Amino acid sequence: MKYPFLSIAAASLALLASPVAAEDFEFDVPVQLSKLDSAFTQGKVSCEVKGLARDAATGQVSGSRGIIGSGSTTFAIARGAFDGTVSVKFNANRPISQPADGRSYSCALFLIAGSNIQTLCYADALTGQSTGRPPPAWMKLAPGVKGCANASLPGFSGGEGK
């Protein structure tokens, strides 16, 4: 049996410093898909930045696991394949969150077949780290498929701490 090949490499991140830039965060995520069932006609990469949570009323730091911002981009899968870079751009959830509040990011790959959508990123709800759980058997994907990228933002090697 031929297994589909699928890979999402670690996302490269560019925190946009230019004042004319429309988005605070930009992730360029390399995606390789091949030998997929023709039912999969679209893919989606979703990314989020977590970091300092702030109280909405006071703006004071109230924790270290808040979602600073998130976004996603869809792409077409043709003839069971896609090989390219998917760009995901989004802003911080202002006014409560600022880009500098970000401490870590995660990106996940989804496959879409009609109205069915399935993530290929299984992460622990507490830590946000990939659990390595395999995709569902009905997807008929090769063992060892990678559908997640998680890391600290540049300059924050300690993860999501204050």
Side-chain angles (χ1 to χ4, degrees):
M1 169 184 255
K2 289 186 178 180
Y3 286 104
F5 175 73
L6 169 69
S7 173
I8 181 172
S12 60
L13 166 70
L15 293 174
L16 301 176
S18 169
V20 295
E23 294 84 10
D24 296 319
F25 302 101
E26 179 177 352
F27 293 85
D28 291 321
V29 182
V31 177
Q32 264 189 316
L33 305 169
S34 65
K35 302 178 189 172
L36 289 176
D37 188 291
S38 62
F40 295 108
T41 57
Q42 276 193 318
K44 178 170 85 168
V45 175
S46 293
C47 297
E48 70 179 14
V49 172
K50 288 185 176 182
L52 302 179
R54 295 186 181 272
D55 181 272
T58 66
Q60 296 298 314
V61 173
S62 61
S64 64
R65 302 207 47 85
I67 294 178
I68 305 306
S70 63
S72 63
T73 301
T74 59
F75 58 92
I77 298 172
R79 295 179 301 281
F82 178 86
D83 188 359
T85 299
V86 178
S87 184
V88 180
K89 301 175 184 180
F90 55 92
N91 286 315
N93 297 326
R94 289 189 174 93
I96 296 170
S97 299
Q98 299 298 318
D101 291 341
R103 297 296 183 263
S104 66
Y105 71 89
S106 63
C107 292
L109 178 64
F110 294 80
L111 294 180
I112 302 167
S115 63
N116 296 322
I117 183 168
Q118 178 67 47
T119 184
L120 296 176
C121 183
Y122 300 97
D124 181 272
L126 183 61
T127 66
Q129 295 301 309
S130 175
T131 62
R133 186 173 135 201
W138 65 265
M139 293 185 83
K140 302 176 186 164
L141 299 177
V145 164
K146 299 209 184 277
C148 297
N150 303 294
S152 294
L153 290 173
F156 295 100
S157 60
E160 295 183 37
K162 295 178 187 176

